[in-house]
Amino acid sequence: MSEKKAGILLPIFSLPSKYSIGSLGKEAYKFVDFLKESNQNYWQVLPVNPTIYGDSPYQSPSAFAGNYYFIDPDTLVKEGLLDKEFVKDYERKGERVDYGYLFQSREFLLKKAFERFDINAKDYLIFKSENCFWLDDYALFMSIKEYSANAEWNKWNKEEKFRIDVTALTRKYAGSVEFWKFTQYEFYRQFARLKKYANSKGIKIIGDMPIYVAYDSVDVWSAPDNYLLDKDLNPVLVAGVPPDLFSEDGQLWGNPIYDWNKMKKDKFSWWVNRLKVAYKLYDVIRIDHFRGFAGYYVVDSKETTAKNGEWRKGVGKAIFDELEKQLPGAEIIAEDLGVITPDVRRLLKYTGYPGMKVLHFAFGDENSDYLPKNIRTSNCIVYTGTHDNMTTAQWLEELSDSERKLFAKVCKPRKKDNLCDCLIKTAMSTKADTVIIPMADYMGLGKEARINAPSTTGDNWTWRLASRYNTAALREKIKTLSKRN
């Protein structure tokens, strides 16, 4: 039996930084050192794709591109692309991510760096050549978006919307196209260095891949035949989840639905390419909403809630057979939360991927699959909570009397015990061979540190770690709590 592994969940945007958002700069390297010194094996991040309206990393204009907000300005100074004094004007040390400021300013900063960049540099030419299958479309898409006042692509002029002559469009937006390619070169270069450093310290990076793409994305615009769209390229059906105890209207996500029959015919080439690119950034990939491959919920695009939808049979084994053929041994985690039916369990067993067990869901009743006694396999990842949950400190405050009694029975806290720490110890005591704990839970932080509250808008995706987090006391505490049992 392999030794139990442990890791910490912390988004890149939550890293300390003087530039309004976490980056791939020195604080990321310090966090890797922190993980190493705390005896951890994994760093789990959220999707690192660009964000648009709503700031959610799960609704991105590209499934392949990296978030240029994460490019570290200080690294650009070291590369001679920016002056130190110029960059100082962009310092903002707020406690939350300031997406409004980033939207207004970051592009301009990067354009100043691009003015000094050598577009004939060998490494850059190699990067463009190796990534042209997604990079060319992304750069053109972002260029048109820029000149269309960020309008959704289905509102663009006919030539742009329907890609009538891509060569002519590329010529038309040539200057801007090169800039957007440069942003990706810098992002991927900085991330590759960080990954190499993490791996040298024995830390693997777990990435996160949303199952669906946003409608307002280069993925839909550049390959509309991969989706169920009408002749005007509008979605026929959209994704969501049906009503449940938490939402009487269900959740209407609005993502377009894949044309799985078409994708199957071309051996899921888009998916294969997507994972190949993702593995340049990550060692392990968590696929979000895994149940959608077994069966998925669709709603007519004209509906305003998710009440009137239907379940459809998913693509099943076929896609994972192809992935195994083309990416043998790829490390994948299946996000198998939500309504888990027998077909999902069968597919998970067939793939052999580890699923997820979230302890926040365990204390509703004594028969919960998430209670430690009912976690009977080592092939799973146990979490206290995920990015969509409350922090454990907030969750503990809001437990019902019956949940509190079951918590006491299972976690057995003593009189002066820290209850957050008790839940972490309980996670570590399970049969799971891997345990991932959100950073906020090790720090005992409350609702101010919640990353996302689904179906709400406001402070989501904005929590940032204070720069003073990195103390010997916290490192020792994490070492002790994550002691492998």
Side-chain angles (χ1 to χ4, degrees):
M1 184 178 167
S2 60
E3 185 199 352
K4 189 188 290 287
K5 302 280 202 308
I8 291 178
L9 168 61
L10 183 79
I12 300 288
F13 62 73
S14 291
L15 287 166
S17 162
K18 55 190 177 184
Y19 298 111
S20 302
I21 192 169
S23 78
L24 301 170
K26 66 179 182 181
E27 289 292 349
Y29 290 79
K30 284 183 183 177
F31 188 68
V32 168
D33 292 340
F34 174 85
L35 291 169
K36 173 70 175 173
E37 291 161 15
S38 303
N39 200 24
Q40 301 299 290
N41 310 101
Y42 293 108
W43 177 6
Q44 182 170 334
V45 299
L46 297 189
V48 296
N49 308 104
T51 52
I52 43 177
Y53 306 112
D55 310 317
S56 170
Y58 293 88
Q59 295 284 349
S60 175
S62 173
F64 291 80
N67 192 340
Y68 55 90
Y69 290 165
F70 296 160
I71 295 171
D72 178 50
D74 290 336
T75 301
L76 297 178
V77 171
K78 285 178 190 167
E79 291 172 354
L81 298 177
L82 291 173
D83 293 328
K84 199 171 185 179
E85 291 307 309
F86 173 80
V87 164
K88 270 188 179 175
D89 291 340
Y90 289 83
E91 292 184 10
R92 294 286 188 284
K93 295 183 181 178
E95 293 178 0
R96 316 291 293 188
V97 177
D98 188 343
Y99 288 104
Y101 174 71
L102 289 163
F103 179 75
Q104 297 294 334
S105 64
R106 188 51 59 93
E107 210 176 296
F108 181 76
L109 181 146
L110 293 172
K111 281 183 175 173
K112 292 297 285 184
F114 181 59
E115 287 174 8
R116 293 186 185 175
F117 182 70
D118 179 8
I119 61 171
N120 295 309
K122 185 181 175 184
D123 284 354
Y124 178 59
L125 295 175
I126 290 170
F127 174 80
K128 289 201 298 180
S129 174
E130 288 179 346
N131 294 280
C132 62
F133 62 94
W134 66 268
L135 184 62
D136 290 356
D137 284 325
Y138 169 76
L140 180 57
F141 179 84
M142 292 301 289
S143 299
I144 300 171
K145 214 171 199 348
E146 185 181 348
Y147 284 95
S148 303
N150 284 297
E152 292 186 352
W153 66 263
N154 65 330
K155 295 183 175 72
W156 292 350
N157 295 331
K158 184 179 177 183
E159 289 76 14
E160 278 86 355
K161 176 180 175 179
F162 290 96
R163 294 166 55 89
I164 288 169
D165 185 340
V166 172
T167 304
L169 288 173
T170 303
R171 275 198 303 267
K172 180 178 177 181
Y173 297 98
S176 186
V177 161
E178 203 64 49
F179 164 72
W180 288 108
K181 289 181 180 180
F182 157 75
T183 65
Q184 292 309 299
Y185 170 72
E186 281 294 337
F187 171 87
Y188 271 89
R189 189 156 75 142
Q190 290 192 14
F191 207 112
R193 286 177 188 151
L194 177 62
K195 181 178 182 293
K196 186 178 180 182
Y197 183 77
N199 291 167
S200 76
K201 298 287 184 179
I203 307 296
K204 286 187 172 184
I205 297 177
I206 301 175
D208 197 328
M209 180 174 285
I211 184 173
Y212 291 120
V213 299
Y215 174 62
D216 186 23
S217 68
V218 59
D219 309 288
V220 181
W221 174 71
S222 64
D225 57 335
N226 276 340
Y227 307 88
L228 299 179
L229 308 179
D230 64 21
K231 62 181 174 58
D232 291 318
L233 304 184
N234 296 311
V236 176
L237 300 166
V238 293
V241 288
D244 57 22
L245 291 172
F246 304 102
S247 172
E248 61 181 26
D249 288 334
Q251 292 180 41
L252 190 62
W253 297 337
N255 306 80
I257 301 296
Y258 296 113
D259 185 339
W260 285 114
N261 291 329
K262 184 267 175 189
M263 285 187 154
K264 191 173 182 180
K265 282 175 188 170
D266 72 6
K267 297 184 177 179
F268 304 101
S269 61
W270 182 85
W271 277 96
V272 171
N273 285 332
R274 188 184 186 191
L275 267 84
K276 281 181 177 175
V277 171
Y279 277 115
K280 291 179 182 178
L281 306 174
Y282 313 129
D283 300 290
V284 185
I285 293 173
R286 186 197 89 127
I287 297 182
D288 192 53
H289 200 61
F290 179 81
R291 72 113 41 253
F293 294 103
Y296 56 98
Y297 190 73
V298 300
V299 182
D300 188 285
S301 60
K302 296 181 184 68
E303 292 284 342
T304 56
T305 74
K307 281 182 178 178
N308 301 316
E310 65 176 30
W311 285 99
R312 292 193 174 180
K313 186 175 169 58
V315 70
K317 298 174 182 177
I319 188 170
F320 299 108
D321 288 341
E322 195 60 44
L323 291 177
E324 181 58 29
K325 233 185 264 179
Q326 300 205 41
L327 290 161
E331 290 189 65
I332 290 173
I333 296 168
E335 189 268 289
D336 58 339
L337 305 175
V339 182
I340 302 307
T341 46
D343 56 339
V344 183
R345 291 192 182 92
R346 286 193 297 271
L347 185 59
L348 186 63
K349 187 176 181 182
Y350 177 80
T351 62
Y353 301 152
M356 292 173 58
K357 306 291 183 185
V358 178
L359 295 191
H360 283 196
F361 301 149
F363 300 94
D365 69 81
E366 300 228 18
N367 298 313
S368 169
D369 289 342
Y370 299 110
L371 278 173
K373 68 177 184 179
N374 294 330
I375 300 174
R376 298 189 176 97
T377 176
S378 61
N379 188 35
C380 65
I381 318 292
V382 166
Y383 295 78
T384 45
T386 74
H387 64 277
D388 282 334
N389 291 92
M390 300 177 197
T391 65
T392 292
Q394 182 188 6
W395 173 79
L396 284 162
E397 286 176 7
E398 301 194 15
L399 287 178
S400 67
D401 289 344
S402 61
E403 288 169 330
R404 204 172 292 282
K405 281 179 187 171
L406 188 51
F407 177 90
K409 181 179 175 183
V410 171
C411 299
K412 299 180 173 59
R414 289 171 297 191
K415 196 169 185 181
K416 292 186 179 179
D417 279 353
N418 178 305
L419 298 185
C420 283
D421 295 353
C422 285
L423 192 66
I424 293 170
K425 284 180 188 173
T426 300
M428 290 292 169
S429 73
T430 62
K431 285 186 178 177
D433 59 19
T434 305
V435 178
I436 305 287
I437 306 295
M439 185 65 175
D441 286 358
Y442 275 125
M443 300 175 75
L445 300 177
K447 64 181 179 180
E448 74 281 359
R450 183 167 187 174
I451 293 170
N452 179 49
S455 301
T456 69
T457 55
D459 269 348
N460 294 332
W461 322 112
T462 63
W463 174 66
R464 297 178 67 192
L465 194 58
S467 56
R468 60 185 179 275
Y469 78 92
N470 195 345
T471 63
L474 181 58
R475 293 194 297 272
E476 198 54 42
K477 175 182 177 177
I478 293 171
K479 251 182 172 173
T480 302
L481 287 176
S482 63
K483 210 166 185 177
R484 321 298 194 256
N485 295 320

